[in-house]
């Protein structure tokens, strides 16, 4: 062996390190998720905020804090093992082939992906029999997510579920008897002893709904940057998914089968909801109320809400769209009124041309007609008004225009009062049996 690998080792033996058994006091995955989201939030505070003003920093901090906390809560609830917890302090056997009993706290922590079973001695370092300075602090994990949350065959063969296979490996490794006694309750599957199956089903459904919530959370992060209304809708869907997962867990645990109670010498280990369950439930309720408030504020005060979230330009475009819709509605009503007046005028003219109508007998009819023509001429910009001479009653007199002069108007019937006055003159002339010529104004569209 060369000189590189001989430092700090007595020849000819390799380097030997003493065993250092350390109990698992916390879940490494939960800590990793919290640190990851904390790093993202810390980077946001250092890199993004210094480049903005005070008015832009507050909305950005509020929005980023709420979204990151929601995403972190979803993932922690997905991987945490504190949905249901229970513990009992009792005297129990410690290992096989020994009669010595220890006083310890036995704990059970149920999640949606498996269970953690803990054993803590009181005190942790104990001495009994031939065992000197034994540290009693165990935290063993049993999982049921293998093969897609499959139950597997009954028993402990290679076709059994993952939980049963983990139980057999724990027996071979020589786990303490209290841990094996608690885990055995989840391996049985018959009659009313189906706690393993019920907890596995509850975990499966809750896990699926929480993954749905995480996907909706990702969509919410993108949508909320552009619009408040749809961001509030997807935020409500995300929080509703978290609430539904809690409802599924409660319904299956409480109403499908009897509650799990494990008896010991000095008490009974019973389960109750832990902090993971309440974190998921309370987070879902709070964010659902927040989504409802944002949705209502955006409907009642769209401009102020958009300005607070730095999206005033989108709200201004929405206001302009509403104004354009109102203008379109008013123009449609105006065109409808114009078309009705034009149809009425066309009917009058057709009646006069066919000879079935009666001549104008007083000035009131002429005024009504002139007002209708004036309204039409004012509304229809692309219209051409032509003046035609129509023979009303037979006679030998030459045609005579009733308007002042014989000019033709092209920009509307601006001389309608003269038409009304001349119409009264024409009515007087008709009484003498003379020949009356009336100017009929026809409104025709340029496109026809």
């Amino acid at each position: 062996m060369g000189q590189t690998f001989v430092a700090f080792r007595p020849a000819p033996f390799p380097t030997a390190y003493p065993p250092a058994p350390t109990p698992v006091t916390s879940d490494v995955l939960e800590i990793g998720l919290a640190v990851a989201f904390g790093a993202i939030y810390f980077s946001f505070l250092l890199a993004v905020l210094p480049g903005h003003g005070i008015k832009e920093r507050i909305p950005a901090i509020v929005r980023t804090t709420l979204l990151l906390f929601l995403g972190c809560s979803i993932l922690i609830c997905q991987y945490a093992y504190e949905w249901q917890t229970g513990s009992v302090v009792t005297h129990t056997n410690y290992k096989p082939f020994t009669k010595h009993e220890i006083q310890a706290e036995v704990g059970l922590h149920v999640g949606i992906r498996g269970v953690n079973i803990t054993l803590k001695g009181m005190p942790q370092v104990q001495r009994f029999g031939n065992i000197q300075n034994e540290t009693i602090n165990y935290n063993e994990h049993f999982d049921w997510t293998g093969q897609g949350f499959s139950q597997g065959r009954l028993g402990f063969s290679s076709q059994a579920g993952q939980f049963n296979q983990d139980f057999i490996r724990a027996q071979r490794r020589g786990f303490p008897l209290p841990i094996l006694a608690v885990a055995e309750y989840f391996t049985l599957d018959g009659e009313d002893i189906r706690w393993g199956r019920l907890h596995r089903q509850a975990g499966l459904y809750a896990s699926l709904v929480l993954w749905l919530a995480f996907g909706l959370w990702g969509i919410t992060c993108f949508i909320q940057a552009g619009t408040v209304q749809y961001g509030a809708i997807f935020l409500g869907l995300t929080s509703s998914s978290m609430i539904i997962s809690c409802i599924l867990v409660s319904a299956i645990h409480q109403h499908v089968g009897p509650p799990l109670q494990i008896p010991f010498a000095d008490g009974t280990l019973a389960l109750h909801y832990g902090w993971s369950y309440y974190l998921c439930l309370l987070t879902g309720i709070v964010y659902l109320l927040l989504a409802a408030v944002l949705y209502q504020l955006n409907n009642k005060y769209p401009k102020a809400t958009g300005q607070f979230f730095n999206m005033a330009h989108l709200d201004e475009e929405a206001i302009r769209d509403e104004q354009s819709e109102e203008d379109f509605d008013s123009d449609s009503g105006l065109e409808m009124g114009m078309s009705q007046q034009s149809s009425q005028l066309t009917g009058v003219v057709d009646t006069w041309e066919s000879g079935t109508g009666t001549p104008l007998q007083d000035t009131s009819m002429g005024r009504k007609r002139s007002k209708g023509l004036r309204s039409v001429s004012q509304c229809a910009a692309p219209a051409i008004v032509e003046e035609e001479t129509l023979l009303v009653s037979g006679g030998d007199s030459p045609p005579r225009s009733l308007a002042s002069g014989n000019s033709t108007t092209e920009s509307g019937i601006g001389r309608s009062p003269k038409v009304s006055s001349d119409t009264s003159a024409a009515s007087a002339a008709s009484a003498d049996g003379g020949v009356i010529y009336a100017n009929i104004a026809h409104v025709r569209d340029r496109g026809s």
Side-chain angles (χ1 to χ4, degrees):
M1 183 180 292
Q3 299 296 326
T4 306
F5 301 100
V6 297
F8 307 105
R9 65 177 65 181
F13 303 102
T15 303
Y17 298 97
T22 56
V24 179
T25 57
S26 59
D27 194 334
V28 179
L29 184 57
E30 296 177 11
I31 297 176
L33 291 174
V35 170
F37 278 90
I40 295 174
Y41 185 70
F42 187 72
S43 302
F44 167 77
L45 295 178
L46 291 181
V48 179
L49 287 184
H52 298 276
I54 298 178
K55 294 183 178 180
E56 297 178 355
R57 290 179 183 178
I58 296 177
I61 291 176
V62 171
R63 185 168 52 191
T64 305
T65 303
L66 293 176
L67 289 176
L68 288 180
F69 179 79
L70 179 60
C72 183
S73 300
I74 294 173
L75 290 182
I76 287 180
C77 292
Q78 178 73 251
Y79 291 100
Y81 290 90
E82 298 290 337
W83 281 74
Q84 285 186 312
T85 61
S87 62
V88 60
V89 178
T90 182
H91 288 82
T92 179
N93 294 329
Y94 179 55
K95 286 186 177 182
F97 309 107
T98 178
K99 297 180 180 180
H100 186 79
E101 293 184 351
I102 61 171
Q103 184 179 9
E105 179 183 3
V106 182
L108 175 60
H109 308 273
V110 181
I112 62 178
R113 305 177 67 86
V115 299
N116 277 358
I117 304 175
T118 60
L119 178 66
K120 296 181 180 179
M122 301 178 68
Q124 292 188 8
V125 180
Q126 299 185 16
R127 177 186 301 177
F128 49 89
N130 297 326
I131 301 176
Q132 303 292 330
N133 299 329
E134 177 76 6
T135 301
I136 304 174
N137 193 345
Y138 293 87
N139 186 354
E140 302 299 334
H141 173 66
F142 298 87
D143 199 352
W144 52 53
T145 59
Q147 302 175 1
F149 287 83
S150 175
Q151 178 68 23
R153 293 184 180 180
L154 183 63
F156 304 96
S157 64
S158 59
Q159 302 297 325
Q162 184 177 355
F163 194 98
N164 290 20
Q165 295 182 16
D166 291 346
F167 179 76
I168 290 299
R169 283 191 288 267
Q171 284 184 331
R172 293 172 180 172
R173 292 175 59 186
F175 280 15
L177 293 179
I179 295 179
L180 295 177
V182 174
E184 189 177 4
Y185 278 81
F186 293 91
T187 61
L188 304 176
D189 188 56
E191 299 297 334
D192 287 338
I193 309 177
R194 297 178 181 269
W195 294 293
R197 177 185 293 269
L198 295 179
H199 284 81
R200 180 190 57 80
Q201 289 179 350
L204 170 62
Y205 299 143
S207 178
L208 292 176
V209 177
L210 283 179
W211 281 125
L212 174 63
F214 185 75
L216 292 173
W217 172 79
I219 298 176
T220 304
C221 293
F222 287 99
I223 291 182
Q224 58 83 29
T227 173
V228 178
Q229 181 178 2
Y230 292 103
I233 292 175
F234 276 89
L235 183 63
L237 293 176
T238 305
S239 56
S240 300
S241 301
M242 299 180 68
I243 298 174
I244 292 173
S245 65
C246 295
I247 294 175
L248 291 174
V249 170
S250 299
I252 295 176
H253 286 173
Q254 300 297 331
H255 302 288
V256 175
L260 176 61
Q261 295 182 353
I262 304 175
F264 282 91
D266 299 332
T268 301
L269 194 156
L271 295 176
H272 58 274
Y273 293 117
W275 62 265
S276 299
Y277 176 86
Y278 289 109
L279 174 64
C280 185
L281 180 62
L282 295 178
T283 303
I285 294 175
V286 171
Y287 277 83
L288 182 61
L289 296 177
L290 178 62
V293 171
L294 287 177
Y295 188 83
Q296 293 297 330
L297 288 177
N298 184 72
N299 289 339
K300 293 184 178 181
Y301 311 102
K303 187 174 182 180
T305 307
Q307 290 178 353
F308 179 79
F309 288 101
N310 297 326
M311 288 181 283
H313 59 286
L314 297 177
D315 293 327
E316 291 176 358
E317 292 179 359
I319 293 174
R320 287 197 298 268
D321 293 339
E322 293 178 358
Q323 293 179 352
S324 62
E325 290 180 0
E326 293 177 357
D327 295 340
F328 177 77
D329 294 338
S330 61
D331 293 341
S332 300
L334 189 61
E335 292 178 357
M336 185 178 296
M338 181 188 66
S339 62
Q340 292 178 357
Q341 293 179 355
S342 300
S343 61
Q344 294 176 359
L345 178 61
T346 305
V348 173
V349 173
D350 294 340
T351 302
W352 276 84
E353 289 179 351
S354 60
T356 58
T358 57
L360 298 175
Q361 297 179 359
D362 52 7
T363 58
S364 62
M365 181 65 69
R367 290 170 185 161
K368 292 180 181 179
R369 184 177 179 182
S370 63
K371 290 181 181 179
L373 295 175
R374 190 185 304 114
S375 62
V376 172
S377 63
Q378 292 176 354
C379 297
I384 300 177
V385 181
E386 298 179 355
E387 182 178 0
E388 296 182 1
T389 304
L390 181 64
L391 181 61
V392 179
S393 60
D396 298 333
S397 302
R400 182 179 56 182
S401 176
L402 298 180
S404 61
N406 293 326
S407 62
T408 302
T409 60
E410 296 181 356
S411 61
I413 314 299
R415 300 176 181 178
S416 57
K418 293 184 179 181
V419 174
S420 300
S421 59
D422 293 340
T423 304
S424 60
S427 300
S430 63
D432 298 335
V435 178
I436 302 174
Y437 292 91
N439 292 328
I440 306 301
H442 295 279
V443 179
R444 300 174 180 174
D445 189 26
R446 291 182 178 180
S448 61

